[in-house]
């Protein structure tokens, strides 16, 4: 038997400067928390292009995508889906390291995030945050500077 489920690829950016990380506050369907700037890819959109687009939409910053840190998978059972679907949902989340190269901090309008901010890394543990944040920071710490995994 083949399990029926929906999958959506997404791309997120880890942007750290001066011991602060750029984050967006996600609020949707009665759930909320701090997350990385990023989100679902449009049909046929390259993940790097989608990551740049999402960073701009959610934060107002233009980003240069540096390197891939890793991939995370999110899973939500069908009965927990906000659209009422009975199919499970899987998010394939590509996590990139990035830097800000332009723009200014602004907040997304009519999206799934309400505002963006630079959060001190030392304060992350105190935040209401989505699990992707911890996964991405772990990937960032574990990834060698040359990008090669041993």
């Amino acid at each position: 038997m083949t399990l029926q489920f929906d999958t959506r690829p997404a791309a997120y950016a880890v942007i750290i400067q001066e011991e602060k990380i750029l984050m967006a506050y996600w609020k949707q369907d009665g759930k909320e928390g701090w997350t990385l700037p990023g989100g679902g890819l449009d049909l046929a959109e390259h993940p790097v292009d989608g990551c740049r687009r999402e960073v701009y939409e959610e934060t107002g910053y233009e980003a240069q995508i540096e390197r891939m840190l890793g991939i995370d998978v999110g899973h939500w059972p069908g009965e927990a889906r906000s659209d009422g679907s009975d199919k499970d949902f899987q998010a394939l989340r590509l996590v990139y390291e990035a830097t800000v190269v332009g723009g200014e901090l602004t907040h997304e309008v009519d999206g799934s995030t309400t505002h963006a901010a630079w959060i001190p890394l030392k304060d992350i543990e105190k935040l209401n945050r989505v699990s992707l944040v911890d996964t991405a920071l772990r990937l960032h710490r574990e990834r060698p500077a040359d990008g090669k995994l041993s």
Side-chain angles (χ1 to χ4, degrees):
M1 178 174 115
T2 303
L3 179 64
Q4 296 293 315
F5 61 93
D6 294 326
T7 300
R8 184 162 189 206
Y12 294 86
V14 175
I15 303 174
I16 297 173
Q17 63 183 46
E18 299 176 7
E19 297 300 312
K20 294 179 181 175
I21 184 169
L22 182 61
M23 298 182 74
Y25 196 80
W26 169 78
K27 191 171 187 178
Q28 189 174 24
D29 302 320
K31 298 177 185 172
E32 60 186 277
W34 286 100
T35 189
L36 299 174
L41 301 177
D42 292 337
L43 182 63
E45 183 176 39
H46 190 281
V48 169
D49 295 333
C51 191
R52 270 196 299 262
R53 175 184 55 76
E54 285 282 346
V55 168
Y56 182 75
E57 288 175 1
E58 294 181 355
T59 71
Y61 288 120
E62 296 171 24
Q64 178 175 323
I65 308 305
E66 303 291 339
R67 61 187 172 134
M68 178 179 274
L69 296 173
I71 300 172
D72 184 49
V73 176
H75 170 251
W76 294 267
E79 67 271 5
R81 291 191 52 191
S82 62
D83 67 0
S85 172
D86 61 355
K87 286 187 198 176
D88 281 17
F89 178 77
Q90 171 179 266
L92 186 62
R93 303 183 286 202
L94 292 79
V95 181
Y96 294 95
E97 183 175 65
T99 56
V100 170
V101 294
E104 62 183 56
L105 185 64
T106 57
H107 308 305
E108 184 174 30
V109 176
D110 296 327
S112 60
T113 63
T114 60
H115 59 287
W118 289 98
I119 307 290
L121 287 169
K122 65 180 178 56
D123 294 341
I124 295 295
E125 292 295 320
K126 302 174 204 167
L127 298 179
N128 175 29
R129 62 195 183 281
V130 302
S131 63
L132 176 62
V133 172
D134 294 334
T135 300
L137 287 173
R138 180 182 49 77
L139 289 169
H140 185 264
R141 284 190 302 270
E142 293 174 356
R143 189 76 171 187
D146 64 7
K148 296 179 184 175
L149 295 176
S150 47

